[in-house]
């Protein structure tokens, strides 16, 4: 069963305040995403999330790893480190 897609407004709730998303990767069914972002201090990190349905709220939410305590010096170093996670994902710009 294919789930309805969440609003892209939820995209910005997934990263620290003031950060910018520099890359967004999604699975083919758009039920998993990896966002690479740059913080205000110039360091990079990523979040790896899956779309899940909250029975109580009766809504879809993105849940997963936020990695807020990971600090990379460059976008390329993040991409190199998470390369295995990107298998089967498509980048959207």
């Amino acid at each position: 069963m294919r789930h309805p897609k969440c609003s892209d407004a939820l995209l910005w709730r997934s990263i620290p305040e003031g950060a910018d998303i520099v890359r967004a990767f999604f699975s083919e069914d758009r039920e998993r995403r990896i966002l690479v972002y740059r913080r205000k201090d110039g360091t990079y990190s990523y979040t790896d999330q899956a779309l899940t349905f909250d029975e109580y709220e009766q809504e879809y939410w993105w849940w997963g790893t936020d990695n807020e305590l990971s600090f990379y010096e460059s976008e390329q170093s993040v991409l190199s480190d998470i390369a295995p996670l990107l298998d089967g994902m498509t980048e959207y710009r």
Side-chain angles (χ1 to χ4, degrees):
M1 179 179 175
R2 195 171 178 127
H3 300 295
K5 305 303 174 224
C6 280
S7 164
D8 284 340
L10 288 178
L11 203 64
W12 297 104
R13 291 188 201 164
S14 302
I15 60 174
E17 187 177 327
D20 293 314
I21 297 171
V22 294
R23 299 279 185 107
F25 301 88
F26 289 85
S27 62
E28 185 177 328
D29 61 6
R30 292 186 58 91
E31 292 183 4
R32 180 168 171 245
R33 69 183 184 185
I34 297 175
L35 307 175
V36 176
Y37 59 88
R38 181 180 55 246
R39 295 180 185 89
K40 288 191 280 187
D41 68 1
T43 61
Y44 293 80
S45 193
Y46 71 97
T47 181
D48 183 356
Q49 302 173 328
L51 189 62
T52 57
F53 186 72
D54 183 321
E55 293 288 337
Y56 180 75
E57 296 288 335
Q58 294 293 300
E59 290 184 299
Y60 285 91
W61 295 96
W62 289 102
W63 293 96
T65 307
D66 62 17
N67 293 307
E68 284 190 36
L69 298 177
S70 67
F71 295 88
Y72 293 87
E73 291 184 15
S74 71
E75 180 181 337
Q76 290 302 347
S77 60
V78 176
L79 294 174
S80 176
D81 197 37
I82 67 170
L85 299 175
L86 300 175
D87 191 37
M89 307 284 276
T90 301
E91 182 175 8
Y92 288 88
R93 292 186 181 236

